[in-house]
Each structure stands twice: as structure tokens, then as C-alpha cells.
């Protein structure tokens, strides 16, 4: 199969990235970051999570972040929601799009959401019904699709079953999380080929963490299988608080650099994206975790 002519990038740095930072990032810094990302042309920016503040303190002020961002027409700002309580908080903040999440192994499901896989299906079904009654757009996530930090190998049948559940109940897209970045291109391709047997491949998104440096190679592989949506994180921010050692998502700068080079449209302005990555990296007091960003900044410095 050939490559898509256009890829939709879902920027997850303000949520997946900042949820894992040891230091608290103030609301105004998050708001500025999100607005810089929208300026750069990103049309989907995951802005926060209505999860338990006991579990993930870094996302505690997500309602305030959401209400303060200057929402641009044509840009969606999905918010992560784990249960009805999260949905209630999202609705109170005026959220129009939510993202639900489930995991492909029992242990990760327990560690991340305190419930079994079967209970997570019941839970997201209830949230989907309530969210549909409010006309919200709903995105779904599956974690650990290429490996689990607790159980190792993951059953592709469980991943496929969860994808079907999420689609059948009304998710417009299902994002496949290589939460700990252990996948390699052949495995990533085999996963998409299996899912494509009973799920719409054009509605699958690749959400690859770059822990083992495989994310771009894995993306290159799945883009040839009909996937045209990529989740990434500016400056490579991120990780998962319940997957020890998991580093950030693939960096948005690296994805845009690769796709620009391949002549695949993204609508993202790399210069403005670099500025957003620099802004948050300066705040965190470190360099962006992106080879492309590092090289481009060095080149500019002469
Ligand atoms: P629980 O402790 O079983 O919750 O946690 P509970 O229903 O028993 O409630 C306990 C207390 O929490 C109650 O308060 C609730 O009101 C409160 P109390 O009565 O004791 O005062 N509570 C909440 N507060 C705020 N927001 C809520 C909420 N729900 C309950 N939504 C729960 C269950 C699901 C809440 C918890 O496990 C949780 O929040 N988990 C989320 C963990 C998380 O955010 N992980 C990272 C995101 S997922 C990810 O990164 C993977 C992804 O990127 C894809 C990939 O890479 O694989 C998406
Ligand atoms: Mg993630």
C-alpha cells in the first residue's frame, strides 16, 4: 500500500506529556503552550484530563486550563475522561470532545484505572451513552497494544476486541497506544493488519511512545497500512505515570520533519512548532527530546 497524502496529527503533549512531569506546570503556562500549538497549525490538541487528582495530580487544574484557552474555530481540544465523574467535570467546563481509555492487559487496566478489562468496557459504555446524549465527540484509546510493562506480550485478539467495542459504541476514532514504546515495525504492521480485518483502518490512530527509539520507524510502517492519524507530543514530552520507565510520545517536531520530507501534508508550520517546543522546554529547564528540534536549533545558532 502507498502512503497517505495527508496525515492528521493529534497533539497530546499538554496531556500525555505534562501528566508525567514531576513539577507542577501552572495553568497559564499550559494555556500559552496550547495556544502556541494552535498557532502552529495543530487542529487537534489534547488539553488535559478529568482523572482523579489523587492518581494524577499534574492534571488537577484541567477544568481551568480548558475554560481559559482561546478556542479557535476548526481546532478540537479533546479531554481525557475515565468515568462518569470525569464526564460530569468535563461537561461543567464546557468540553465538546472527550477521549476514553482502556488497556489490553488485565494488570495495566488495574494499575491505570483500578478495574478489570470487562469492567472498563462497562464503564466506557456508560460514559459513551451519557456523552452521546450531550452530543459530544468521543475518541477511544487502547493502551499496551504492542507490549505491557507488567505482562510483556499482549494478545492482538484483546486489542481487536477492544477496538471493535469502542467503534461499535460510537467512537469516531480509536488510538492505539504503544504505551512503553517497545514495538518494532514488523509488529506494528502486523497489529494494524489484524485490526483492519474488523475495524475501519482509516479511523485508527497511531499513538507511539519513543522509549526504545522505534516510534518513527513504526509510524513509517503503519502509514503504509492505511493509518493516517498520528498522536505525538511537542518536544517529546511525556510518559505514563502507571508505566514505569515509559518515556515521551514521539516528538511532534520529528513527525512533522519526516512527513514534510516525504511530501505528506500535515498543515503544521515547523518553525512555529519549534517555538512551542522551546517555550515548554525552557519552562521545564531542559532541551526538547526531539532529534529534529535539536538539529534545527543548532543549525540556527550557526
Ligand atoms: P478509584 O480510586 O477507583 O475511583 O479510581 P473511585 O470511583 O473509587 O472514587 C474515589 C474518589 O475519587 C472519589 O472521591 C471520587 O469522587 C474521586 P471521594 O468520594 O473519595 O472524595 N474521583 C474523581 N475525581 C476527579 N475526577 C474523576 C474521578 N473519579 C473518581 N474522574 C479512576 C478510578 C479511574 C478515577 C482512577 O483510576 C484514575 O483517575 N485513573 C486515571 C489514571 C490516568 O490518568 N492515567 C494516565 C492517562 S492514560 C495514558 O496515559 C495512556 C494513553 O496515553 C495511551 C497510551 O499511551 O497507552 C491514553
Ligand atoms: Mg500515551
Amino acid at each position: 500500500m502507498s502512503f497517505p497524502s495527508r496525515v492528521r496529527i493529534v497533539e497530546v503533549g499538554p496531556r500525555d506529556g505534562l501528566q508525567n512531569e514531576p513539577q507542577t506546570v501552572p495553568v497559564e503556562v499550559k494555556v500559552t503552550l496550547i495556544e502556541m500549538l494552535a498557532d502552529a497549525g495543530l487542529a487537534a490538541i489534547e488539553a488535559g484530563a478529568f482523572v482523579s487528582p489523587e492518581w494524577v495530580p499534574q492534571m488537577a487544574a484541567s477544568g481551568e486550563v480548558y475554560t481559559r484557552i482561546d478556542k479557535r474555530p476548526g481546532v478540537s481540544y479533546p479531554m481525557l475522561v475515565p468515568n462518569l465523574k470525569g464526564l460530569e467535570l468535563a461537561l461543567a467546563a464546557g468540553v465538546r470532545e472527550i477521549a476514553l481509555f482502556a488497556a489490553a492487559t488485565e494488570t495495566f487496566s488495574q494499575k491505570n484505572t483500578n478495574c478489570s478489562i470487562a469492567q472498563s468496557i462497562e464503564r466506557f459504555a456508560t460514559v459513551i451513552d451519557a456523552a452521546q446524549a450531550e452530543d459530544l465527540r468521543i475518541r477511544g484509546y487502547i493502551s499496551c497494544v504492542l507490549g505491557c510493562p507488567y505482562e510483556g506480550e499482549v494478545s492482538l485478539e484483546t486489542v481487536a476486541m477492544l477496538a471493535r467495542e469502542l467503534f461499535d459504541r460510537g467512537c469516531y476514532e480509536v488510538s492505539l497506544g504503544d504505551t512503553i514504546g517497545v514495538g518494532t515495525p514488523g509488529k506494528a504492521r502486523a497489529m494494524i493488519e489484524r485490526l483492519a480485518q474488523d475495524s475501519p483502518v482509516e479511523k485508527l490512530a497511531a499513538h507511539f511512545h519513543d522509549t526504545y527509539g522505534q516510534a518513527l520507524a513504526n509510524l513509517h510502517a503503519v502509514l503504509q497500512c492505511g493509518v493516517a492519524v498520528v498522536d505525538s507530543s511537542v518536544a517529546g514530552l511525556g510518559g505514563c505515570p502507571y508505566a514505569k520507565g515509559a518515556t515521551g510520545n514521539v516528538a511532534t517536531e520529528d513527525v512533522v520533519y519526516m512527513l514534510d520530507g516525504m511530501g505528506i501534508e500535515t498543515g503544521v508550520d515547523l518553525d512555529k512548532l519549534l517555538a512551542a517546543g522551546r517555550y515548554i522546554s525552557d519552562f521545564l529547564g531542559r532541551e526538547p527530546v526531539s532529534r529534529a528540534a535539536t538539529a534545527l536549533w543548532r543549525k540556527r545558532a550557526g
Side-chain angles (χ1 to χ4, degrees):
M1 210 169 173
S2 55
F3 290 100
S5 56
R6 188 181 169 85
V7 161
R8 184 173 101 89
I9 296 183
V10 178
E11 168 61 47
V12 296
R15 193 281 302 171
D16 203 338
L18 299 185
Q19 77 181 5
N20 210 34
E21 283 303 320
Q23 55 180 304
T24 306
V25 179
V27 168
E28 57 272 21
V29 173
K30 292 184 180 178
V31 170
T32 302
L33 172 65
I34 292 165
E35 292 182 352
M36 289 179 86
L37 292 165
D39 275 344
L42 285 150
I45 306 169
E46 202 169 66
F50 292 101
V51 294
S52 161
E54 303 283 320
W55 285 58
V56 186
Q58 295 85 343
M59 290 289 108
S62 287
E64 203 184 333
V65 171
Y66 186 83
T67 46
R68 281 183 45 187
I69 42 184
D70 172 24
K71 289 163 211 76
R72 319 270 167 105
V75 178
S76 61
Y77 302 92
M79 301 289 282
L80 208 64
V81 160
N83 55 11
L84 278 177
K85 170 84 186 170
L87 177 65
E88 196 184 294
L89 295 169
L91 288 169
V95 168
R96 301 306 308 151
E97 176 169 339
I98 59 169
L100 306 172
F101 51 108
T105 67
E106 291 294 348
T107 316
F108 196 84
S109 184
Q110 289 291 351
K111 299 266 186 197
N112 200 34
T113 48
N114 206 18
C115 67
S116 67
I117 295 176
Q119 287 167 328
S120 78
I121 295 172
E122 280 171 37
R123 203 185 266 178
F124 68 63
T126 318
V127 177
I128 289 175
D129 286 346
Q132 281 173 333
E134 301 287 340
D135 266 342
L136 300 193
R137 291 185 88 216
I138 309 164
R139 191 168 198 251
Y141 276 111
I142 306 172
S143 286
C144 299
V145 297
L146 295 174
C148 171
Y150 308 104
E151 297 187 20
E153 284 299 312
V154 168
S155 152
L156 276 189
E157 292 313 307
T158 309
V159 179
M161 176 277 290
L162 282 169
R164 282 197 310 274
E165 290 282 351
L166 288 162
F167 280 127
D168 288 351
R169 292 171 196 275
C171 289
Y172 74 87
E173 191 167 279
V174 172
S175 179
L176 302 163
D178 183 10
T179 317
I180 52 168
V182 287
T184 44
K187 228 176 151 184
R189 181 194 295 262
M191 184 226 352
I192 299 298
E193 285 171 354
R194 168 62 194 88
L195 264 64
Q197 289 172 19
D198 44 29
S199 285
V201 71
E202 70 284 0
K203 294 185 179 176
L204 295 173
H207 177 107
F208 295 161
H209 287 255
D210 201 25
T211 320
Y212 288 78
Q214 304 296 302
L216 279 185
N218 294 344
L219 286 177
H220 192 269
V222 302
L223 289 175
Q224 292 172 80
C225 305
V227 172
V229 185
V230 171
D231 296 0
S232 60
S233 192
V234 67
L237 297 173
C240 177
Y242 296 98
K244 270 209 181 336
T247 60
N249 299 85
V250 64
T252 311
E253 295 92 322
D254 290 345
V255 173
V256 171
Y257 182 84
M258 179 178 86
L259 296 177
D260 279 354
M262 294 171 72
I264 296 175
E265 233 183 281
T266 62
V268 178
D269 178 320
L270 188 52
D271 283 335
K272 289 184 176 170
L273 179 64
L274 281 175
R278 173 56 63 194
Y279 169 76
I280 191 63
S281 300
D282 283 351
F283 176 81
L284 296 170
R286 61 169 190 242
E287 285 301 303
V289 185
S290 157
R291 299 292 283 263
T294 303
L296 289 164
W297 283 114
R298 281 207 189 119
K299 192 171 162 193
R300 283 179 181 192

